[in-house]
Amino acid sequence: MTIFSLSEIDHTVLLETLVSATSTNPSEISANDVAYQLESSLDELKSVLVVPPKSDASRQKVKTGVLEILDTSYKLNEQFIEAIIKLSEDLNLDEIVAATLLLQGQHLSDRLDRDISQSATFLFHRKQLNLLQSLRIIFSAPLDETVDQEITAVFQRAIEALVPDWKEGEGSYYGACTKAMSVTRSYLQKLREKDANAIQLGLHTQPGWVEWIEDMHIQLKFLTDQHEALATILFCLAKYKRAALEDFKKLLEIMGAFEDYSILIAHHLPPIYALITMLCSNDTPLPFSDVIHLHRDLLKMYQESRWPLRYVQAAIILWWVTEFNGLCNDPPASAAIEGADVTNTLDYIKDVYQPSKRALKEGAFEYMLALATDVGLVNVLDINRDNLREFLQGQAKQLTESHLLSEEFKKLIIIQFEQFVDSFIANMADILKDLKTKEEEAVLLQQKEVGFDLERFFFIISYIYYGRSDAALTFWNDPESNLYGFLMWASSNLTPLMATVMSYMLASFSFGEQCSSHAHKFLKEEFAPGIARQRRGMHYLSWGSIFQRMENYVTQLGNIRTQGTTSMYRPPPPPPIDATEPLLETTLIIDAHIRLIGRIAQESEEARSWLYENNSFCVLETLFQTLERRTPTQLLASIFYTVASFLAGKREEYAKNIWEAVDHWAFPIHPQPTTLVVAGPALPFSETDINSIKLSIYPSEAFTRLLVALVNPADDGLLNDKLPFPEDNPRFTHTRPTAIDPYVDFVLRDIFRATLWQVFSRPKEDANALNSASAYMGNTVNMTSVLVDGAKKKDQSAAPNPADHQSIIHAHVQLACLQFILACLTSFNEDLILYAERSGIAVDTAIRSSSLKTYASLHPFARVMEHLLSEKCITVLFEVIKHGVVTLNNAPEGSPLADTVLMAIEVLELMSQLQSTYFNIVRPLVQGDERRRKNLQPIGGNTFGSLEEAILYNLDVAVCLGLFTEVGDVVITAAALRLLEILVVTPTLIQAPEVTYGRPMKRNRILNIIEGHPDSKRVQFGFIHRMETPSEESGVNDLIKMRILRLLNASLDASPSEPCVTHFLLGFAISDGTVELSTAQGGIGSGVSLFHTILDIVMGLDEKPSSVLEYENTKCELKNQCYNVLRRLWKSKLTTSDIMFTLRANKFLVMQWTQQALITPDTLWDGRAFRNDDAFFESQSVNTLCWLLDRRSSLFDYVGLEIRQLASQGASTTVSGYLASLLGTTPTDGTPVSNTRLLDLLDFLELEAPELAGEPIIQWFKGVDFTPAEKSYGSVIIYEPNNVRSLLLLKKRELESKGRLQSSQEESMQNEMEAIIRHLAVESNIRIFKQSRLNCLKAWTQLTEVVLENCEFEQASKTAFLLQTLQAILPKLEAYCTSDVEGAQELSSLGQFIISHISFDSNTFGKGRASDIAHDRLYQLFRASLRCIQSPLSHARLRQDFYSISYRYLKGMNDLQEKIGATIGARYSTHTIKSAGERLLEVVCSDAYAGEGVCKNVALLLLDELVALGMQEGNGYVVEALVRNNFLVVLVDSISVLINHLLMSTVDADSALAFLKASMGFLLRVAQTKSGARHVINARLFTGLKGSRLFEYDPDLGIAFDVGRIGDPKAVAKYYELLLWVLRVVTCCILSKGPQNEQTKKLGRQFLEDTKNVALTVFKRHANIRGPKPEAVGGELRELTDMFVLLMSLTGYIEACRPFVATATLGGLG
């Protein structure tokens, strides 16, 4: 049913929520809040009982077309006026009130997916219900001792305000409630008539009928709940004695008018009984004589006025007589004052005995038994008990609408029943004795008519106390009490039927360890002192009598079957004996006794051990002997149930022996044939002695549950390393190589497949093998016959009625099968295979199976998976889910339907997780076992290759999973969402179908089926309503919200660039691979969508309390998940523009930014502070902190994106407003409001993760590799605690198996294990925290850069912001360089970005305090950079930023000196460099020579600037240090080698040229001094250049590099540029050495000689001798020419070459 959220319009929702929370979440509710809310709603609470009826005056006012509502005038059109009148007629409501509801319905129409009239109707009913439920709680709470006293006082004051004066009649509050109930019943009657008329008119065949009937059911539920709330108020008023005799008579009059039994009658019963107890109490408000007169009037009415429902009238009279007799036995003190003599006034026979007997004869107990069945907690299949109860119930009817009774009201009825039972035992003992005596006589005399009222009374008690151990203790706690005495009396001298029902009653008193122990001692005849003597000479129900009956019964059964071998569990069978068929009543007694044994054994460890180890009578042996004889079908279910109860303690000894006994019975080993036969497959299961199970549902269900108990692991289930059957039993492995696979075949093939509803619901005449013993029991369905193929009627495939008896049986059988399936799947540990490969543990030795191969191949997991992948089993699973959507909300309380649906979903989820292991590992092992494969029976039918393939044929199951958001069971909703999350990320299911030519492209399959389904809107609104559900203390609603958000995020991740399910659910319109905002219902454009709901959570969920800053785990996670959805949307190309627009329209940025609070080490995270809490990283508090950091990261990312987009669009005003908020001031309505600044939100850096203490001392677990326990959490690897524990347990088992662990060392090993688990858990949490903090820091730095790039600052403001940012990051920058390299990287990048935006001019570095601050901040940054460069943790990328910072600082200071003559910065810089030591230059030189990428070039630039700084000061410190480090030689050599590689095109040209340019620039800088030139020349500059072969290439062609072919103008230009760099260095060296240095000039001339061909070509090109020079090389060519001319001039190359030229010329002439 749809969950409505109307709090926006109807504030009664808030009232009802707050008042309800006083019982559900008392710790979160204060009495003051409740008092305030009640005071503000008092008028509505007073008026809720009287709804203003329709009136002519209001109607005429409406018809005028103008109406004033809530101080607003409205003009009404004709259509709206007609809607008002119709609503008024339907609800008998004042027209003006109806108009108000319609106006409010307009606002809710989209949200409820209904028209405005229907929305108004729902709003009216919901408002009425909220107020009545609030009243119910107000009146009920003071009667509940568990409610807080302050809140109780508030409610008591409210009651006094609501019921100020006590008065009688309709004018009283009680009378008003009674009248309101009558009005509600008239509404219900009108709706039912409307429903019947619609069917008669054939509307049920028209379109829209489903929606119409759904709305009808919603209204019926509203009205039924209102009627129930009013009934509870009446009950409470009677308890407060705010009722009168006339009220009692009025209720009796109403009850007498009912002609049909319905839930409305049940609503009246608690008020009537409360009035009876009020009138018959010792402090009765009536005079005692009036009570006597009332008694006689009631008896007269009972005799003369016969109600249509006589058994209801009889029950009420019996209640009255019981309480009245108690009053007579202990009359009030007023009786003596009145002078009333009870003895003379009343006749016991006439006034008590005879009316009681008549009431019993006319069905009082029969009706009470029917009602007890409706409200009791019995939910176990027991055909014998159910049929016996139906027999005893007689003509009394059960409620067909019992599922509409709330749990609170059922509890109220049960409490009244408890009071009646107590009163009847105390006040009507003579009646009880008479009932027993007469029945005993009738049995002894073998009379045909026997009254069974005592059995009915026992049965009533059984149903009332079933499963309620606290209530049952009242019978056991006081041996002197009437109740305990009743048990003693009731257990004596029992007739067969009494003994049967007495056993059921004792079983109901045996829930819980304490009660079952009492019952065990009671049956052992261990009583209180003095009680045993009273029992002598009488026959009592005891263990001895039960065992004796069972022994006799076994003797009466047929012969034990002939078997070839004897069970290892039992001795050889006795010789065959003659036997007679036991009577049916004997079978019933034995069945009840067996159930009693099972219940006590299930609950009490003491009793279980006693029954198992009892030497005088072995219960299990007797049960299996019973099975091996001609056992009536009715007993089988109880036997299996009781055998399973002995497995409750998970004792392996019990399980082993029971397995052996079960297998010996199910698979007897037949004698070997005397003649030679051909070996063949094993007999199928149906051909063994198990046929009796397959013939009936009840034994099948019980046997399946026995298998569940056997298969479930005996330990804690963490390792699951043992086969679920005794591997050492040869029957399971050698005699029958298929192990327990036949049991799997029985459950899944013979039982589970037959539960397909269209097969199961086939009429009984189709059954051809009904058990002959079922004539008395009835309802026995043949399980074999339902497998027969036949025609299926269309209506049989429809969903079953969940309240129908057959549907309940159907659900029970399916539930048992699904429990078996789950037990087989969950008991298989696929991780063992991974552990064997990678953990370093000898898994074969460690596990409790003989080997890992045996475990994997023999485990029932393989056979179960094989069955589940068959078409028939998959069909049943999908049918359970599909029917569950329709029937779950209407299922009666205690129905197994909910568990069935839940387990079907869980089975599919496990299949998806385990199928890869099955297909890749387990199935090949099974198929490789030839002997086993031959003995396995075929599965039968079609099979699927994977679960995804099966789902492809049943894609509508995805819609059903989405519809489970509408059901009230949050566990089912969560499971459905988990499975749907798996489906929406499965590639097979989300990929688009193949597109054929001429057809439009289709979307993914899951999206297609959900969007195109008729219930697509229901799915959408189901998600919306779930996300709107308020949070509560238990956190279940938040759990569902987070499951929804995980699904949305997973779908977006799986389809990042394509439309997916998330887009549809959020409210996008999807078309042709694109998405846009939808304006349809549920669409984002409509204003009511899942997106808006998520946005409301983000905008409205503020974790900042008013006093102490504390963040709650659940709220932080929820809000973070919401942010994750939004972040994926604004980052996706599909949705970024629409989402950014929508968020901007909702003022998302400002609202979120102003909510940010500063965190400190003292901030509480789920109750823990970061500071001084050693357990912080061991708790979930660290997750709370990380979720907050992740959310901040998302916010920073969004703000940056928003500013970039708006800046690119030219929205400067909006950007300026955002900038103001980031800087700490947000304009609100023209008034600036302070908020947290961007720089303040770097507060999280103060939270430093602690250093891990050293690894725990490992003695036992050396060599364990925890890699298999690792899992990804975002971008970090953490350890999964359960997997870590599993590995350690395996290692422990390995040591135990090798005998290396003594019992005395157990504690030491356990301590070491816990220390390792704790250490790895803390390490994982620290990793998560560091990653979250790093991500937040990265987002913060990126946002800061965006602000600087895109926001318009005034220059002074920008400089101030830059310097403030530097001040904020500098301490952490320096600290992180030695502790957190990744954090240092983010801060260094920001530092580099900041210094690049600082202007080194007089405005920034002039005079004054601001300039001093700028000098100081930048100098600190420079100094920190030099220190961080030398950090042993730094890497190339980090040093690159520091090189850039240092270079920019030095270059800026140098430029500043040139501009304004400031030298102080330079002096500081030189001093700082010297202080850093030669280690700094060593690191820089290393990067400049062997660095990576840009780091190498930037290092050279820094060296260049350092050299320039030395030249300015005439200081050769840097150059000398470079020489000492041999850097120049290495650099020149690397230049030569790199040029060679460049010429051969073996390196990347761009990066090589960039390095060469930087290197040549650096050498050019060094060569500008005489000493520097000397060092460069001495570094073998000329030799290196010659070896590079750079000048051997033709300048006309250049070098190809990677820009194109040789001769390409770009290639020639690059070649000329490279030549120019070299010539500059050479020329500078010669210039610096001076004209007097002949050696240098000689080197220069030699260089020119080696390059003269290149020079000649350059000259010719420059002179245009070979044609015009290319434009691309024009500038370089001119400069090259100049360089060659200058070099020739400096070296005297022309003069030196003239003699040779002249000689050559003369020789040529001659």
Side-chain angles (χ1 to χ4, degrees), residues 332-362:
S334 62
I337 300 175
E338 296 175 37
D341 187 345
V342 176
T343 305
N344 298 328
T345 307
L346 295 172
D347 182 355
Y348 174 75
I349 299 298
K350 180 182 178 181
D351 290 304
V352 176
Y353 181 81
Q354 289 180 352
S356 300
K357 295 292 287 184
R358 181 174 181 179
L360 291 174
K361 184 178 179 180
E362 293 184 345

Side-chain angles (χ1 to χ4, degrees), residues 1100-1111:
L1101 201 73
D1102 187 6
E1103 297 87 355
K1104 282 197 306 183
S1106 57
S1107 55
V1108 180
L1109 182 59
E1110 180 175 3
Y1111 292 90

Side-chain angles (χ1 to χ4, degrees), residues 1306-1560:
E1306 179 76 25
E1307 183 178 356
S1308 172
M1309 171 175 274
Q1310 188 65 32
N1311 292 337
E1312 183 177 320
M1313 182 187 300
E1314 296 301 327
I1316 293 174
I1317 294 172
R1318 185 167 53 253
H1319 174 81
L1320 293 180
V1322 171
E1323 181 178 341
S1324 298
N1325 285 335
I1326 289 177
R1327 290 180 183 179
I1328 295 172
F1329 167 70
K1330 286 185 174 180
Q1331 186 61 44
S1332 295
R1333 190 179 64 172
L1334 177 64
N1335 292 340
C1336 193
L1337 177 60
K1338 185 181 297 185
W1340 185 89
T1341 57
Q1342 290 174 352
L1343 174 57
T1344 304
E1345 293 175 5
V1346 168
V1347 169
L1348 291 172
E1349 286 283 355
N1350 297 275
C1351 295
E1352 296 180 1
F1353 285 89
E1354 294 181 359
Q1355 185 58 42
S1357 299
K1358 183 174 184 179
T1359 302
F1361 179 74
L1362 290 169
L1363 296 177
Q1364 290 171 5
T1365 306
L1366 277 180
Q1367 183 181 9
I1369 68 172
L1370 273 174
K1372 294 300 178 183
L1373 174 62
E1374 195 165 356
Y1376 285 174
C1377 285
T1378 56
S1379 61
D1380 186 355
V1381 178
E1382 292 177 322
Q1385 176 67 67
E1386 297 302 325
L1387 293 177
S1388 66
S1389 297
L1390 179 60
Q1392 191 270 338
F1393 185 85
I1394 289 173
I1395 199 171
S1396 67
H1397 278 72
I1398 290 180
S1399 301
F1400 288 84
D1401 54 21
S1402 58
N1403 293 328
T1404 307
F1405 297 95
K1407 294 182 179 180
R1409 178 172 175 76
S1411 298
D1412 293 340
I1413 292 174
H1415 274 292
D1416 183 58
R1417 295 286 183 272
L1418 291 181
Y1419 175 69
Q1420 289 179 23
L1421 177 63
F1422 172 65
R1423 186 175 61 183
S1425 299
L1426 297 183
R1427 279 199 291 267
C1428 293
I1429 288 171
Q1430 304 174 66
S1431 171
L1433 299 181
S1434 65
H1435 49 73
R1437 178 67 185 83
L1438 180 61
R1439 291 194 298 273
Q1440 174 184 321
D1441 288 335
F1442 290 127
Y1443 292 154
S1444 298
I1445 292 171
S1446 302
Y1447 170 76
R1448 172 62 179 160
Y1449 176 79
L1450 294 174
K1451 184 74 168 64
M1453 284 301 173
N1454 187 29
D1455 295 343
L1456 190 64
Q1457 182 178 356
E1458 294 177 359
K1459 293 177 182 177
I1460 63 175
T1463 59
I1464 185 170
R1467 291 198 302 272
Y1468 279 149
S1469 302
T1470 305
H1471 177 73
T1472 303
I1473 292 168
K1474 289 182 178 180
S1475 300
E1478 290 199 12
R1479 166 66 182 161
L1480 169 66
L1481 293 176
E1482 290 175 4
V1483 174
V1484 179
C1485 290
S1486 176
D1487 280 334
Y1489 165 65
E1492 301 174 358
V1494 180
C1495 178
K1496 177 188 290 190
N1497 299 337
V1498 180
L1500 278 172
L1501 290 176
L1502 176 59
L1503 286 175
D1504 180 83
E1505 197 59 36
L1506 290 174
V1507 171
L1509 181 63
M1511 290 173 57
Q1512 287 180 359
E1513 299 182 358
N1515 189 332
Y1517 168 76
V1518 175
V1519 175
E1520 296 300 327
L1522 298 178
V1523 173
R1524 286 195 298 273
N1525 287 311
N1526 206 30
F1527 174 72
L1528 294 178
V1529 175
V1530 172
L1531 181 62
V1532 170
D1533 288 344
S1534 67
I1535 291 173
S1536 175
V1537 172
L1538 186 58
I1539 291 175
N1540 245 314
H1541 287 300
L1542 184 64
L1543 297 177
M1544 293 185 293
S1545 300
T1546 59
V1547 293
D1548 178 67
D1550 290 336
S1551 60
L1553 289 171
F1555 175 72
L1556 287 174
K1557 182 177 181 180
S1559 301
M1560 293 298 181

